[in-house]
Amino acid sequence: AQGFICTNNFTEKGFYENPELGVELSKDQCAQLYKVFVYHFWEHSTDEQNATNEFDKVSPAKRFELTGLKHILLTSPNSKLNTLNDSLLEAITKAEKSISISTFHIDKDMPLVKAMIAKAQTELKVTLFCRPTEKQFNAQLKELLDCGVHIYFHPLIHAKSLVIDSTDGFIFTANLTNEGLETGLEVGLKLTLPQSSDLQKIHQGWEVN
């Protein structure tokens, strides 16, 4: 088995222009990610395209369960399976030196973002990479700046990632919003130490360039 978790959409910009991230999965991680797709395809799909390119409503198969996700972090329509938000929030809460995070969209009212703000107010270094849209700045980012978060803008950034204390890294597909962390279908991965080191170097490169 071979597989990847990547932050990009399957578009030209996603593969050739946007700052994006991806990580190759181990055999066990591939097997668990496959189970995630099988479960959600059969139990949470709502529409199916038919032979005339129209869509028919479909019902849950009621045949599949999803258990034992030791490697893959998840946001699911089945909230009992959610682990991504809790894992990221726990890592941010335990940060002692630095937090570096990248995202496409952000909601300052999410508990995870509030935890980042609280850390910044203790003078712990908190760095955020995101897109410089006027709407997002006025509604979400100005408060983070005022609280001491260091924000770096890139007009095409789409990568979602987190590095804590330069050693604990995560890559995930979710934006820092309610849909991304609570109600949507998203996946993520806690990185190994060498992978986390590579991610830290990427973040440092974004910061200086």
Side-chain angles (χ1 to χ4, degrees):
Q2 287 184 295
F4 300 84
I5 286 180
C6 48
T7 64
N8 60 296
N9 295 313
F10 276 47
T11 62
E12 185 173 355
K13 281 191 174 182
F15 281 110
Y16 295 104
E17 297 182 38
N18 298 348
E20 305 278 7
L21 296 164
V23 60
E24 187 170 5
L25 304 179
S26 68
K27 183 177 179 180
D28 289 341
Q29 290 167 342
C30 284
Q32 290 188 20
L33 186 60
Y34 175 71
K35 290 179 181 179
V36 168
F37 280 116
V38 169
Y39 168 76
H40 286 91
F41 181 87
W42 287 105
E43 304 300 342
H44 289 281
S45 293
T46 58
D47 299 85
E48 181 178 26
Q49 189 172 12
N50 59 34
T52 60
N53 290 325
E54 296 179 347
F55 288 87
D56 300 322
K57 293 295 180 182
V58 294
S59 300
K62 297 182 179 179
R63 292 174 50 199
F64 296 92
E65 295 181 355
L66 186 58
T67 59
L69 292 183
K70 297 180 180 179
H71 302 291
I72 304 299
L73 303 174
L74 184 64
T75 301
S76 171
N78 180 354
S79 61
K80 295 179 181 178
L81 298 173
N82 286 0
T83 54
L84 177 60
N85 183 46
D86 289 345
S87 296
L88 299 179
L89 180 58
E90 181 181 9
I92 287 172
T93 302
K94 291 182 177 180
E96 297 179 350
K97 298 178 182 178
S98 63
I99 298 167
S100 184
I101 193 163
S102 65
T103 189
F104 176 61
H105 284 307
I106 190 169
D107 180 351
K108 63 182 175 60
D109 295 321
M110 293 298 296
L112 183 149
V113 180
K114 288 183 177 181
M116 287 170 46
I117 292 173
K119 287 291 186 176
Q121 291 173 323
T122 68
E123 299 186 356
L124 182 145
K125 183 180 179 183
V126 179
T127 304
L128 170 66
F129 303 95
C130 62
R131 292 202 182 190
T133 64
E134 183 177 356
K135 181 179 179 181
Q136 180 160 252
F137 179 82
N138 291 332
Q140 308 296 339
L141 299 178
K142 188 176 184 303
E143 182 176 332
L144 275 69
L145 272 175
D146 292 342
C147 292
V149 176
H150 301 271
I151 300 179
Y152 292 84
F153 293 113
H154 190 291
L156 295 175
I157 197 161
H158 188 260
K160 295 93 174 177
S161 59
L162 172 67
V163 184
I164 300 294
D165 296 338
S166 302
T167 57
D168 294 327
F170 299 81
I171 286 179
F172 44 95
T173 62
N175 288 305
L176 306 183
T177 62
N178 184 70
E179 185 176 34
L181 297 173
E182 296 287 351
T183 63
L185 175 55
E186 309 283 354
V187 294
L189 190 71
K190 189 177 190 305
L191 303 178
T192 64
L193 188 58
Q195 290 169 340
S196 297
S197 178
D198 287 344
L199 181 58
Q200 172 66 12
K201 292 175 183 176
I202 291 170
H203 279 218
Q204 288 175 334
W206 288 346
E207 191 170 335
V208 298
N209 294 317

